[in-house]
Amino acid sequence: MQELSQIWWQEITGPKTFVSNVTERLLEASIIVKVPDDLPWRHEMRQEIQSELREQYDYAEISIIPIDAEEDVEKNTEIDAFILKRFALGDVARQYRKKSGKSITQYIVQKNVLQNDVLWVKGITEKTIKPWMDFLLAFNACCPKNGRIVLEIRDSIQYVKQNTIEEIDYSSYISDNNLQLFNSILLDRMPTISEVWKRYLSALAACLCETDAEIAEYFLNEYAQQTADPIRVLEAIAQDPDYSRRGAADGSSHILSLVRHKCTSQIERRIWKAQLQVLFPVVEAERINLIERIKHDLTAMISVREIRQYGESIVNPYDFEWGTLFYAMKLTNINEEYYLKSLSKAEREEIRRFRDYRNNLAHGDCCTVTQVSEILAIVPYE
């Protein structure tokens, strides 16, 4: 079965296009790749770009070599000197002479030190961005035929852009729809979950996790029991040491950051957004279904008694909202008989419950886990 990280980078339009564009530009020059602090499956992304370079562009020997700008480069070491020492083969590094008139960068290009290599520099900070940018400018100016450099710069890093260095911004390729599609593919692997629950869970994970597909996968796998409280599930994920750095940037709006800082109102707003997308149409569809069952009684009632809603008289039975149905179901005629006499006891209880559901969703309040289950239970198993 295909790994979910592969689905994200190979099948989902936004991430796939990002990978393809990075690959194409690397054929021409070194570049900057701008990514969020919480990029999903970083290692797998680099592997996918390497595979494309090898398979689609016939560079069978090319390799992406990750370098950590903080951990791999010793303090006060010039970038060009570090690269020459680290990657030059044999006596090439020792044979460089400053009196030759060539800079170390020019020497690196002349000797093809980075032949068939793509140096992927990660871990860049605001302190290290300038020396790496200066080296990249000098390296590109030498028009190397072989060897490329990628500076992976996080969104939170401030730097001065250079017209001669192309920047590819991951965020410009990714949309909420990308994550919702990914979620749907993941949920299709869970045959015990009904289609209507899959629609809800897909929207819920997309609204909560935004564009972090890796955390969305974690959440959906943990939330397979649909009676769980999503916030409790997220709290457990936030405590996982493997994801301790996810959402750790200052001022991050990542879901795990919101959970750790107990920003409950912001989390509930994301849950409400998903419920509005999926549950509100179900609530409205059930209103129409109920009206069709009691249309005769509603028509008869409004023909003899004025029912006002939003300041106007109702003339079409399909205009009855849940709140007005709740009001109307208690009305009696002069003989103290219900106008809506065909309503069963269960239907009266349904009107009461669905009025509450509708009011919650219309006023920005979340439905409880129990209420979600009750709403989705009325949709036939698909």
Side-chain angles (χ1 to χ4, degrees):
M1 184 179 291
Q2 192 175 22
E3 293 290 335
L4 289 165
S5 60
Q6 292 178 314
I7 291 174
W8 181 250
W9 294 116
Q10 295 177 7
E11 306 295 336
I12 307 300
T13 301
K16 178 182 178 181
T17 303
F18 168 78
V19 165
S20 295
N21 285 356
V22 169
T23 304
E24 288 178 9
R25 294 308 304 143
L26 282 174
L27 295 175
E28 304 296 329
S30 298
I31 59 173
I32 290 172
V33 170
K34 191 175 181 183
V35 299
D37 292 81
D38 305 301
L39 180 73
W41 296 300
R42 292 171 182 268
H43 176 68
E44 290 82 355
M45 173 195 68
R46 292 192 289 268
Q47 284 186 321
E48 187 61 29
I49 293 170
Q50 178 176 277
S51 295
E52 280 207 16
L53 285 169
R54 289 179 175 180
E55 296 171 12
Q56 296 189 27
Y57 298 97
D58 198 27
Y59 284 2
E61 297 180 1
I62 200 165
S63 295
I64 290 181
I65 303 174
I67 293 175
D68 192 296
E70 285 285 290
E71 297 178 2
D72 293 337
V73 184
E74 294 181 4
K75 190 175 181 181
N76 299 323
T77 300
E78 296 294 330
I79 302 299
D80 52 5
F82 159 75
I83 290 177
L84 182 62
K85 180 180 178 180
R86 177 79 172 264
F87 297 101
L89 300 176
D91 294 331
V92 172
R94 291 192 298 271
Q95 290 173 354
Y96 171 71
R97 298 291 183 268
K98 188 175 182 180
K99 63 182 180 181
S100 67
K102 292 187 178 70
S103 68
I104 296 179
T105 302
Q106 290 172 327
Y107 184 75
I108 287 171
V109 173
Q110 180 188 22
K111 296 297 183 178
N112 287 325
V113 170
L114 298 181
Q115 185 172 7
N116 295 326
D117 290 336
V118 175
L119 302 191
W120 193 290
V121 187
K122 58 189 182 71
I124 293 175
T125 65
E126 291 188 353
K127 290 182 179 179
T128 57
I129 180 63
K130 187 178 187 305
W132 276 106
M133 188 76 77
D134 290 344
F135 172 74
L136 186 57
L137 284 167
F139 185 78
N140 273 355
C142 294
C143 300
K145 295 180 179 179
N146 290 294
R148 294 288 183 263
I149 296 170
V150 176
L151 301 188
E152 179 184 299
I153 301 177
R154 301 191 306 277
D155 287 339
S156 57
I157 302 298
Q158 301 296 319
Y159 67 97
V160 178
K161 294 184 179 181
Q162 302 290 333
N163 293 333
T164 57
I165 305 176
E166 184 168 355
E167 175 189 279
I168 300 181
D169 187 349
Y170 172 84
S171 298
S172 67
Y173 291 84
I174 310 301
S175 70
D176 292 342
N177 290 336
N178 292 147
L179 186 54
Q180 197 144 339
L181 176 58
F182 172 82
N183 294 340
S184 297
I185 293 172
L186 170 59
L187 288 163
D188 279 342
R189 298 181 174 189
M190 303 179 184
T192 60
I193 300 177
S194 69
E195 291 303 314
V196 67
W197 265 101
K198 288 177 181 178
R199 287 199 295 272
Y200 174 63
L201 294 176
S202 177
L204 180 62
C207 291
L208 285 171
C209 304
E210 295 186 328
T211 59
D212 192 336
E214 194 170 357
I215 296 301
E217 178 206 358
Y218 196 159
F219 173 79
L220 288 173
N221 282 321
E222 294 297 311
Y223 198 66
Q225 298 297 324
Q226 298 146 24
T227 56
D229 181 341
I231 295 181
R232 301 291 85 78
V233 174
L234 290 166
E235 287 174 344
I237 296 173
Q239 293 173 5
D240 187 331
D242 289 341
Y243 294 93
S244 60
R245 297 175 63 182
R246 197 64 61 96
D250 292 340
S252 172
S253 62
H254 190 276
I255 186 61
L256 296 188
S257 176
L258 299 183
V259 170
R260 294 185 188 110
H261 290 90
K262 300 189 184 303
C263 301
T264 305
S265 61
Q266 294 182 52
I267 299 169
E268 289 180 342
R269 176 60 52 161
R270 296 187 185 190
I271 295 172
W272 169 79
K273 183 180 176 182
Q275 292 182 349
L276 195 65
Q277 289 178 26
V278 180
L279 302 186
F280 199 82
V282 175
V283 170
E284 283 300 285
E286 182 60 13
R287 181 179 67 86
I288 298 300
N289 290 338
L290 176 67
I291 288 173
E292 288 178 346
R293 296 199 299 271
I294 62 172
K295 183 179 177 182
H296 177 78
D297 284 356
L298 289 171
T299 301
M301 180 176 64
I302 60 179
S303 68
V304 298
R305 179 164 183 163
E306 183 184 39
I307 305 294
R308 298 183 69 81
Q309 180 177 264
Y310 306 128
E312 297 181 354
S313 297
I314 295 179
V315 295
N316 184 340
Y318 287 100
D319 290 338
F320 274 85
E321 300 286 356
W322 283 112
T324 312
L325 286 168
F326 180 75
Y327 164 75
M329 77 177 186
K330 297 182 287 185
L331 297 177
T332 59
N333 58 24
I334 58 175
N335 298 320
E336 296 187 351
E337 297 172 332
Y338 286 121
Y339 283 109
L340 304 183
K341 54 184 178 294
S342 62
L343 279 175
S344 66
K345 183 179 179 179
E347 287 173 328
R348 291 176 181 275
E349 174 60 20
E350 179 187 27
I351 290 173
R352 183 196 65 76
R353 288 188 291 110
F354 273 75
R355 178 202 60 168
D356 292 343
Y357 304 154
R358 195 269 179 192
N359 285 344
N360 282 350
L361 294 170
H363 294 96
D365 296 325
C366 292
C367 290
T368 66
V369 175
T370 300
Q371 289 174 332
V372 171
S373 297
E374 291 173 349
I375 294 170
L376 296 182
I378 70 171
V379 180
Y381 191 94
E382 299 167 279

